[in-house]
Each structure stands twice: as C-alpha cells, then as structure tokens.
Amino acid sequence: MDAGEGAEARGLISDRIRTALADAITGGILSAGTALDEQELADRFGASRTPVREALRQLAFAGLVELRPRRGGVVARTTPERIAEMFETTAEIEAMCARLATYRITPLERSRLIDLHEASAAMVAAGDVEAYDGFNRAFHETLYAATHNGFLAEQALAIRERLAAFRRTQLRQPNRIDASRAEHGAILAAMAEGDGEAAARRMRAHMLNASSALGRYIAGQGEPRDG
C-alpha cells in the first residue's frame, strides 16, 4: 500500500469512528461528561490512535466533544435549547437557499434534484436510513449550489457539517424518512411553480420538523445519564 492509499484508508477508518461516536452521542447513548480515551477507542475499533485522534478532532469541530490534551476528550454537554437554536438558524439559511434557488436554478440542476428525489423512493420503501442520509445530503447540497451564491452555499455547508450528526439521528425517528421525502416533494413543487416564498416556507418547516423529530427520537431513548 503506497502513502496515498494509506492516507485514504486512515480517512475511511476515521469516518467510521466519527460516525459511530456521533450517532452514540446524538442518540443519548454516550452522555455528557463521558470520557473518550484514544487508546480505548483504538482498541474498540481495531485501529491505530491516528484515525481516532482525527475522528475526535472532527467531533470537537462539530461541538460534540471537548478535547483534553494527551487524554482524548469528553462528550460535550449540548442542551436541548442549544440544539433548537442550531436548527432554527439552519432553517433560516436553508429557506433562503430554497428561495434563491427557485429563481436561479438551471435546467440541469433541476433535473439533478428531480432525479435524486425519485431515486429516494426506493430508500424510503426499504426503510434504509443510511442510504437516505446520503441522499439527503446530496439533495440539500445540490440546492445550495443552485443558489449561485458562493458565499451562501459555503455558510449552508458549514452549518450543515456542524449539524450533520443530529440531522442523521433525526431520520431514525419512526416514519421520519417518509415525511422527509414528502416535504422534499412539496419544496420541489413550489420551485417548479416559480414560487420562491412558498419554497422558503416549506424548507423552513422541513428543517423545524427535523428538529422536532430529533427531540422525539432522543426522548424515546430515555433520559441520558450524566457520565
């Protein structure tokens, strides 16, 4: 394995560790204050400490972990109020994206959104949350690009990264992916009619519905314990 392949493999392992830990944190399985020791995590995931360290760094950027020098990290305390504030913020940014994209989208970008939406039907029918999460990211990122406002797209992507774990977790709420797909369809319908304000309202509601679904999912896991 050459250096490039080694770096790619470490990246894939790091992503797997980051996703597993993020899901455990946002789902309430790992509670605030829980220690995340680098060596223990390396042993658990059958990896070296390098991808573990990278995964923790990414989780710290997302606000899910507080790093401790030479000691790994601990699960950060994220209150329901803070999560609601983050979703409220992203709802407004995504609503702006939907409104601008309605008026600026190209035929090719519109076809891409429609193709993505149609392909998601099979994922919903199969109840495949992981596949739907990947589709959902592609759908929203295609919409950001369709604004043809580079700065807005950058901000939307940045806040999406901060919320990625929470957005993935809310999809596990029963029937959420069905509702999410229907909400996407309503946004696309407003865009097809050239009604940017309606598209914005529907996108805002879509994101706030995601926030509510997350709250119901976490509540269903039971009250998290302080570690």
Side-chain angles (χ1 to χ4, degrees):
M1 179 183 294
D2 62 28
E5 291 174 337
E8 182 178 359
R10 286 193 298 274
L12 291 173
I13 295 170
S14 176
D15 287 344
R16 178 168 60 86
I17 296 170
R18 173 180 52 79
T19 298
L21 292 176
D23 287 349
I25 293 169
T26 57
I29 298 170
L30 290 176
S31 56
T34 300
L36 299 171
D37 180 79
E38 286 184 6
Q39 189 58 57
E40 289 180 2
L41 291 172
D43 294 341
R44 172 183 167 188
F45 288 100
S48 70
R49 293 176 68 166
T50 299
V52 170
R53 194 173 296 119
E54 174 61 19
L56 291 177
R57 187 191 66 79
Q58 293 175 3
L59 291 170
F61 174 77
L64 297 177
V65 166
E66 295 175 1
L67 295 180
R68 303 291 172 87
R70 297 178 295 279
R71 289 187 296 161
V74 296
V75 176
R77 185 175 301 279
T78 304
T79 65
E81 291 77 16
R82 179 66 170 175
I83 295 172
E85 289 172 354
M86 290 191 292
F87 270 96
E88 181 180 56
T89 301
T90 198
E92 293 303 319
I93 290 175
E94 298 237 1
M96 187 186 305
C97 288
R99 180 171 59 81
L100 290 180
T102 298
Y103 305 123
R104 299 177 179 179
I105 193 168
T106 66
L108 186 61
E109 289 166 339
R110 189 184 303 279
S111 294
R112 169 70 171 155
L113 280 175
I114 292 172
D115 288 346
L116 283 167
H117 181 61
E118 291 179 349
S120 70
M123 303 169 197
V124 172
D128 191 339
V129 172
E130 294 306 318
Y132 189 87
D133 178 53
F135 145 78
N136 193 44
R137 173 182 288 271
F139 181 90
H140 284 267
E141 291 182 2
T142 300
L143 190 67
Y144 304 159
T147 66
H148 295 274
N149 181 318
F151 183 77
L152 177 59
E154 288 171 7
Q155 301 312 304
L157 280 169
I159 195 169
R160 181 176 186 86
E161 286 303 316
R162 289 291 302 271
L163 277 171
F166 294 107
R167 292 178 73 152
R168 182 171 58 253
T169 296
Q170 59 90 19
L171 294 173
R172 294 190 170 89
Q173 172 69 13
N175 302 316
R176 177 57 196 156
I177 59 175
D178 302 73
S180 174
R181 184 174 187 276
E183 290 161 11
H184 286 165
I187 293 164
L188 288 177
M191 292 177 66
E193 294 167 1
D195 192 339
E197 295 305 322
R201 287 195 302 273
R202 292 173 186 181
M203 178 61 82
R204 185 180 296 108
H206 173 57
M207 295 310 305
L208 295 179
N209 287 341
S211 178
S212 297
L214 175 65
R216 292 194 299 273
Y217 178 83
I218 293 175
Q221 304 307 299
E223 289 293 328
R225 302 183 302 274
D226 289 336

